[in-house]
Amino acid sequence: MNVRLAQVIAKLQAGEKVEHREGGNSMTPIIESREPVTLEPVDVDKLEAGDIVLVKVRGKHYTHLVLGFRGDDEVQIGNNKGHSNGWTKRTNVYGIVTEIKGVPRGGAQAKVWRP
């Protein structure tokens, strides 16, 4: 994990809001490569399919969609092209995208974790 991403995750875990830019095209057209998103700490119990989260799956970090749930502690993650990255623990979900390029993402604010 690079230093910048480690700082983003640390801030989210401390309850802070952060701006993040991630490369790649797997989330287009929702999020374009390097487009700024606002991430906020997430209440993982409020997650729903379709939410966009910063998450670790199989040792890699992604800003991707929640696709589904298995039991009380697992979340399925995938991109916007129909690919599933796999299942991960809810504890590996670090933040939720609340804005894309300054535009609020509907319903995301209700899922922000407030210490």
Side-chain angles (χ1 to χ4, degrees), residues 55-62 64 75-78 84-89 92-94:
V55 62
K56 180 172 77 171
V57 182
R58 297 183 187 161
K60 295 190 179 201
H61 294 83
Y62 304 96
H64 274 178
V75 180
Q76 186 180 32
I77 300 298
S84 171
N85 297 92
W87 294 91
T88 193
K89 300 288 184 189
N92 289 330
V93 180
Y94 303 111

Side-chain angles (χ1 to χ4, degrees), residues 10-35:
K11 286 180 179 184
L12 290 167
Q13 290 174 327
E16 297 179 40
K17 177 195 291 193
V18 295
E19 185 175 288
H20 180 61
R21 293 173 186 256
E22 189 171 312
N25 294 308
S26 63
M27 285 298 292
T28 59
I30 299 171
I31 303 171
E32 300 295 333
S33 183
R34 306 290 303 150
E35 190 167 52

Side-chain angles (χ1 to χ4, degrees), residues 64-94:
H64 274 178
L65 294 165
V66 172
L67 298 179
F69 302 92
R70 184 165 60 190
D72 291 335
D73 66 339
E74 290 187 299
V75 180
Q76 186 180 32
I77 300 298
N79 66 23
N80 198 41
K81 307 291 183 187
H83 174 76
S84 171
N85 297 92
W87 294 91
T88 193
K89 300 288 184 189
R90 286 181 189 249
T91 55
N92 289 330
V93 180
Y94 303 111

Side-chain angles (χ1 to χ4, degrees), residues 85 101 103:
N85 297 92
K101 218 164 103 179
V103 177

